[in-house]
Amino acid sequence: MLTSPPTNPNFDDLLVKTGSALDIPDHVYEDATLKYEDVGNWLGAQDSDILQYAPDIYVQGSFRLGTVVRPLTDADDYDIDLVCRLEIKKEQTTQKRLKELVGDRLKLREDLAKILGPSRRCWTLDYPSEHQMPRFHMDVLPTIPNLERMPTGILLTDTELAHWQWSNPRAYADWFYGRMKVIFQQKRAALAETIRASLEEVPEWQVKTPLQTAVQILKRHRDMHFQGRVDVRPISIIITTLAARAYRNQPYVYDALTGIVKDIEANWG
């Protein structure tokens, strides 16, 4: 458990509060979770045309990593990235056909069809602000297994590229959580003790580590610095990866953030 104080207690306290202010509220997280579970259930329902392909639907990106940041302005919205992996070999389909399979299923439900639109690599569901919930969009990414990167590698569609693109969000999430494993386990155990629950009863998304908070702060700095220049701002995966590589399981946000910034400046500046 934590034994020594942070290097700078005042700044650490300020950064912790900043991270809390940037974090997605619990009720918004829970509402978003219900919505992406609803979409996943629809894609994999018993009457679904894609059921024969054993659809595996799961969340990726900041929602999976615990690094969601509140929108900077009212014109912005939360985003959820959902993977829809179908058991189809690359030789048995095309990028166009794969995207159509998922899109056609989404279009069959009237409420989803009204907010559905195509994007470069995915289908996007634009949820309006209602019932005191903020706006957000959900990207549903059609994918197939990457047989060269089993068991979790995927191939995805891209309307601007002829070749299949590859990714591995599950392996990336495992790597990210591995970078903060020590502190994550300590904080989860401490939270379980506080609420008098078992370790398994504490949802992972309710545990916040210094690495996750540092990533949120860096992402907000990026958003503010590149306001009006979205086309040149660094994407979140770059910030997240550099921060995770530099993190050394520091138990406090101030020490984690200063260590990450110094490492990035020294090695990538």
Side-chain angles (χ1 to χ4, degrees):
M1 302 301 290
L2 308 183
T3 55
S4 59
T7 304
N8 193 318
N10 291 333
F11 271 109
D12 187 74
D13 183 60
L14 177 61
L15 291 172
V16 170
K17 291 177 179 177
T18 299
S20 296
L22 292 175
D23 215 355
I24 180 173
D26 287 356
H27 70 284
V28 176
Y29 184 97
E30 291 166 358
D31 180 69
T33 299
L34 290 174
K35 283 186 168 63
Y36 78 67
E37 288 178 347
D38 173 58
V39 171
N41 290 336
W42 173 251
L43 290 171
Q46 288 299 313
D47 64 346
S48 174
D49 291 338
I50 63 175
L51 185 63
Q52 60 182 307
Y53 304 117
D56 182 17
I57 298 106
Y58 57 91
V59 70
Q60 66 165 338
S62 59
F63 261 78
R64 190 181 187 99
L65 302 177
T67 58
V68 177
V69 174
R70 292 191 189 212
L72 183 60
T73 69
D74 291 338
D76 302 315
D77 54 7
Y78 288 101
D79 68 279
I80 304 175
D81 298 309
L82 207 62
V83 172
C84 180
R85 177 180 177 269
L86 303 183
E87 285 292 340
I88 305 174
K89 293 182 179 179
K90 182 173 65 173
E91 297 76 19
Q92 297 174 331
T93 189
T94 64
Q95 293 186 51
K96 183 175 183 293
R97 178 55 185 153
L98 174 64
K99 192 167 184 180
E100 288 174 346
L101 281 171
V102 176
D104 289 347
R105 175 60 183 172
L106 293 171
K107 292 173 185 176
L108 283 178
R109 215 174 89 179
E110 185 177 358
D111 60 327
L112 297 180
K114 289 179 180 179
I115 58 174
L116 182 69
S119 299
R120 175 178 171 179
R121 293 182 171 179
C122 58
W123 292 96
T124 298
L125 293 161
D126 284 305
Y127 291 86
S129 174
E130 57 184 1
H131 307 304
Q132 297 184 326
M133 292 295 174
R135 294 173 53 241
F136 75 88
H137 67 268
M138 183 188 304
D139 290 333
V140 183
L141 181 68
T143 73
I144 58 175
N146 182 354
L147 299 182
E148 296 178 0
R149 294 290 186 273
M150 294 296 284
T152 56
I154 55 175
L155 298 174
L156 49 105
T157 64
D158 192 313
T159 57
E160 296 183 13
L161 298 172
H163 297 290
W164 292 88
Q165 301 303 294
W166 58 271
S167 185
N168 202 333
R170 277 180 166 151
Y172 182 88
D174 289 344
W175 170 80
F176 181 81
Y177 276 94
R179 295 297 302 170
M180 58 181 185
K181 182 178 180 179
V182 174
I183 296 301
F184 182 85
Q185 291 177 338
Q186 289 182 7
K187 285 186 170 290
R188 193 179 190 189
L191 181 56
E193 183 177 348
T194 299
I195 64 176
R196 297 182 179 180
S198 68
L199 199 64
E200 294 72 23
E201 290 176 317
V202 178
E204 290 189 355
W205 66 270
Q206 288 189 345
V207 181
K208 187 67 64 177
T209 69
L211 172 58
Q212 291 167 312
T213 300
V215 170
Q216 290 176 304
I217 292 171
L218 290 170
K219 286 166 67 173
R220 176 45 46 90
H221 175 268
R222 179 271 317 268
D223 295 340
M224 297 178 67
H225 184 75
F226 288 95
Q227 267 190 289
R229 297 181 293 154
V230 178
D231 56 325
V232 296
R233 72 180 185 182
I235 59 176
S236 294
I237 190 68
I238 293 177
I239 295 172
T240 305
T241 301
L242 291 178
R245 283 172 60 96
Y247 184 57
R248 299 293 181 267
N249 274 288
Q250 293 96 332
Y252 299 103
V253 178
Y254 175 81
D255 298 323
L257 186 59
T258 54
I260 288 168
V261 171
K262 288 177 181 177
D263 185 275
I264 292 176
E265 183 179 20
N267 296 295
W268 307 95

